[in-house]
């Protein structure tokens, strides 16, 4: 929730209900996109990312998650600032990865002028496509220090860091007809 100033937390979903009821909850909150974390048997964590109205939906297996506190990283960004989204060129390799890029960019991009967001950028969300997994890394943009003679901006990782393995991409939210499966990437 701290990564996206435009995010809302919703507690009304019971996991015994079908996943289609996520659309109703998102519509009641006027949310065009939804992220749902599904934990199974206290060892597997899945992420459902969906465009609620007519868009695609993706199911990811969350692997190698490193929260911000575990990494002991020195960077810090301002709460509510808008991120710069950076995508690896490997996302343009296939149609399935282009759908994932479009979905992730619309979900994680903070709308300009949102009341809870700041009008500037001071951090970067980097999405890399490596070995069939989407790797998310979070960096702070450091301004050049004139006292040390630095001329260019630099990046410092601030966390969290995680790897998302795409399991399926669906045509509708959530569950519709499958557009791709794990081996298609």
């Amino acid at each position: 929730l701290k990564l996206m100033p435009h995010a809302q937390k919703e507690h009304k979903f019971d996991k015994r209900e079908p996943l289609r009821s996520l659309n109703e909850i998102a519509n009641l909150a006027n949310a065009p996109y939804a992220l749902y974390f599904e934990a199974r048997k206290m060892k597997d964590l899945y992420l459902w990312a969906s465009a609620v109205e007519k868009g695609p939906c993706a199911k990811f297996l969350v692997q190698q998650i490193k929260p911000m506190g575990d990494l002991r990283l020195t960077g810090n960004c301002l709460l509510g600032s808008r991120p710069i989204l950076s995508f690896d060129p490997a996302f343009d390799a296939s149609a399935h990865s282009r759908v994932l890029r479009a979905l992730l960019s619309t979900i994680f991009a903070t709308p300009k002028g949102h009341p809870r967001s700041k009008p500037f950028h001071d951090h970067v969300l980097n999405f890399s496509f490596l070995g069939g997994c989407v790797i998310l890394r979070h960096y702070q943009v450091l301004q050049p220090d004139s006292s040390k003679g630095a001329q260019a901006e630099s990046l410092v990782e601030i966390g969290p860091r995680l790897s998302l393995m795409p399991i399926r991409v669906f045509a509708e939210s959530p569950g519709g007809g499958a557009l791709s499966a794990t081996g298609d990437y």
Side-chain angles (χ1 to χ4, degrees):
L1 288 172
K2 289 185 179 182
L3 287 178
M4 301 181 295
H6 61 289
Q8 285 182 285
K9 193 174 190 180
E10 192 65 51
H11 300 282
K12 295 179 182 174
F13 184 70
D14 184 14
K15 59 183 179 178
R16 290 181 295 244
E17 294 180 35
L19 286 176
R20 291 267 182 205
S21 59
L22 286 173
N23 290 345
E24 296 171 14
I25 294 171
N27 284 332
L28 289 174
N30 291 330
Y33 305 102
L35 291 175
Y36 173 63
F37 288 95
E38 176 184 12
R40 289 195 186 162
K41 298 183 183 179
M42 299 299 289
K43 61 181 181 178
D44 291 333
L45 180 65
Y46 295 97
L47 170 67
W48 289 84
S50 66
V52 174
E53 290 297 320
K54 294 184 179 180
C57 175
K59 181 180 181 181
F60 298 99
L61 174 64
V62 179
Q63 300 174 328
Q64 301 175 355
I65 187 165
K66 302 285 183 190
M68 291 167 48
D70 288 354
L71 294 176
R72 294 184 178 87
L73 299 172
T74 59
N76 187 15
C77 68
L78 294 172
L79 190 64
S81 63
R82 298 172 57 217
I84 297 170
L85 300 179
S86 171
F87 285 90
D88 187 27
F91 276 97
D92 296 329
S94 69
H96 306 299
S97 58
R98 284 192 296 271
V99 169
L100 284 179
R101 177 186 174 152
L103 182 64
L104 292 173
S105 64
T106 53
I107 289 175
F108 284 96
T110 304
K112 189 173 183 178
H114 192 275
R116 285 188 280 177
S117 71
K118 307 287 188 282
F120 51 84
H121 303 279
D122 73 340
H123 60 111
V124 176
L125 285 176
N126 181 15
F127 296 91
S128 302
F129 203 70
L130 182 65
C133 289
V134 177
I135 298 167
L136 171 74
R137 295 183 82 174
H138 188 208
Y139 298 97
Q140 175 192 3
V141 178
L142 291 177
Q143 299 299 323
D145 190 5
S146 60
S147 66
K148 295 181 181 177
Q151 298 290 332
E153 295 177 337
S154 60
L155 297 176
V156 174
E157 187 173 3
I158 58 177
R161 179 189 310 168
L162 58 116
S163 175
L164 303 170
M165 183 162 88
I167 295 177
R168 294 226 175 192
V169 177
F170 299 97
E172 296 174 4
S173 168
L179 295 176
S180 69
T182 304
D184 295 337
Y185 303 98

